[in-house]
């Protein structure tokens, strides 16, 4: 974020928790208010990535059948995740993700749609898959109680614990979220080729399944193939000609 835009960003949630991992990192999550989003949409001082994120959020809010909150963290890791706390649906992007993909609104829309789909499909519910991963479920509930001590509607799991909750989704969950995410992105006026370009870029970066965001996801090649098929079927376009070019809306 630019310094000018930072000044318009009140920190409604600034909780440092010791994450349940060997590294014990803490992470600060910032929740922009409506004034910040409006400034990101309209101010000439906003960066391109801020404008893109604000516009994607606005369009997706008109498409997705439930309210949600978008938050940001200062982590340099390329990551995004969904979290449900106190009946509030959160989508969190790291600054590392925004730095890498903020100039491609199709990628932002596809990934935001993917994470929102986890909420829609019930994957973020506390008891979802508890028999598959009891430890993650217990961690989520415990941190939920901690979060409820702070700002009532802004309770949020942060840091590696939140990433752990995200990793409880299996590959079929991720495929379903990819499909729903591309559908919502398309309905919001974006190209499903954003999903293709995201996977292609991750391949180019050599990140693949070593990323927390992708560790239980289908492989990048599979995701590229699925996005290509979706785009050809629903938009009669090919994503593979130049994965670096933003498709027309």
């Amino acid at each position: 974020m630019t310094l000018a835009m930072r000044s318009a960003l009140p920190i409604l949630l600034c909780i440092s928790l010791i994450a349940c991992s060997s590294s014990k990192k803490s992470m600060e999550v910032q929740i922009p208010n409506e004034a910040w989003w409006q400034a990101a949409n309209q101010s000439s001082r906003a960066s391109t990535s801020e404008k893109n994120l604000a516009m994607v959020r606005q369009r997706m809010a008109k498409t997705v059948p439930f309210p949600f909150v978008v938050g940001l963290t200062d982590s340099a890791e390329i990551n995004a995740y969904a979290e449900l706390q106190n009946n509030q649906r959160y989508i969190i992007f790291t600054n590392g993700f925004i730095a890498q993909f903020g100039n491609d609104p199709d990628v932002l829309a596809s990934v935001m749609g993917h994470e929102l789909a986890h909420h829609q499909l019930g994957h973020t519910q506390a008891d979802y898959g508890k028999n598959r991963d009891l430890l993650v479920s217990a961690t989520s509930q415990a941190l939920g109680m901690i979060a409820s001590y702070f700002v009532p509607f802004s309770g949020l799991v942060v840091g590696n614990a939140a990433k752990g909750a995200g990793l409880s989704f299996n590959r079929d969950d991720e495929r379903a979220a990819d499909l729903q995410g591309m559908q919502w992105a398309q309905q919001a006026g974006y190209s499903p080729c954003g999903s293709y370009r995201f996977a292609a870029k991750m391949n180019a970066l050599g990140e693949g399944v070593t990323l927390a965001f992708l560790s239980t996801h289908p492989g990048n090649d599979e995701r590229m193939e699925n996005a290509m098929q979706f785009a050809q079927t629903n938009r009669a376009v090919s994503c593979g000609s130049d994965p670096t070019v933003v498709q027309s809306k």
Side-chain angles (χ1 to χ4, degrees):
M1 270 177 248
T2 65
L3 292 177
M5 294 303 293
R6 262 187 201 280
S7 64
L9 176 59
I11 302 175
L12 300 186
L13 180 64
C14 180
I15 308 173
S16 292
L17 300 178
I18 298 301
C20 56
S21 74
S22 58
S23 61
K24 294 190 177 181
K25 294 186 293 185
S26 62
M27 185 179 294
E28 184 179 278
V29 176
Q30 298 176 326
I31 308 297
N33 63 10
E34 287 302 320
W36 187 92
W37 291 113
Q38 184 176 358
N41 264 324
Q42 300 176 358
S43 174
S44 61
R45 302 174 68 181
S47 68
T48 299
S49 61
E50 288 168 346
K51 289 181 179 294
N52 286 340
L53 183 61
M55 182 56 67
V56 168
R57 169 187 172 273
Q58 179 178 304
R59 291 185 179 181
M60 293 296 281
K62 295 178 180 178
T63 302
V64 176
F66 54 80
F68 60 90
V69 173
V70 175
L72 303 164
T73 97
D74 284 337
S75 172
E77 182 181 64
I78 301 174
N79 204 356
Y81 54 91
E83 189 61 42
L84 178 67
Q85 289 296 333
N86 300 317
N87 295 316
Q88 179 64 67
R89 299 172 177 91
Y90 291 91
I91 305 299
I92 307 301
F93 290 97
T94 64
N95 280 358
F97 185 98
I98 299 300
Q100 190 63 240
F101 296 105
N103 289 333
D104 190 334
D106 292 333
V107 171
L108 292 175
S110 293
V111 173
M112 186 180 293
H114 172 99
E115 298 303 335
L116 288 166
H118 280 310
H119 288 304
Q120 175 75 0
L121 298 170
H123 300 163
T124 55
Q125 294 295 324
D127 60 349
Y128 183 81
K130 62 182 178 181
N131 292 328
R132 187 177 64 231
D133 197 339
L134 291 175
L135 177 60
V136 167
S137 178
T139 300
S140 177
Q141 292 173 13
L143 286 175
M145 289 187 289
I146 293 172
S148 67
Y149 178 79
F150 295 90
V151 183
F153 76 96
S154 296
L156 184 65
V157 173
V158 297
N160 290 334
K163 288 181 283 184
L167 299 182
S168 67
F169 309 145
N170 64 31
R171 288 177 184 267
D172 286 338
D173 293 339
E174 299 299 343
R175 292 184 182 101
D178 274 348
L179 178 59
Q180 180 65 76
M182 285 188 288
Q183 290 173 343
W184 278 338
Q186 179 172 260
Q187 291 169 18
Y190 296 97
S191 170
C193 288
S195 184
Y196 177 97
R197 291 198 299 280
F198 173 73
K201 182 65 172 181
M202 298 314 296
N203 266 346
L205 291 173
E207 299 285 359
V209 295
T210 62
L211 266 183
F213 180 75
L214 297 175
S215 62
T216 58
H217 292 57
N220 289 327
D221 290 342
E222 178 186 338
R223 302 183 88 187
M224 291 166 65
E225 181 179 349
N226 291 342
M228 175 77 79
Q229 182 177 354
F230 183 94
Q232 290 176 337
T233 300
N234 293 277
R235 289 175 64 104
V237 298
S238 174
C239 300
S241 57
D242 185 355
T244 66
V245 176
V246 178
Q247 301 292 321
S248 60
K249 307 296 185 290

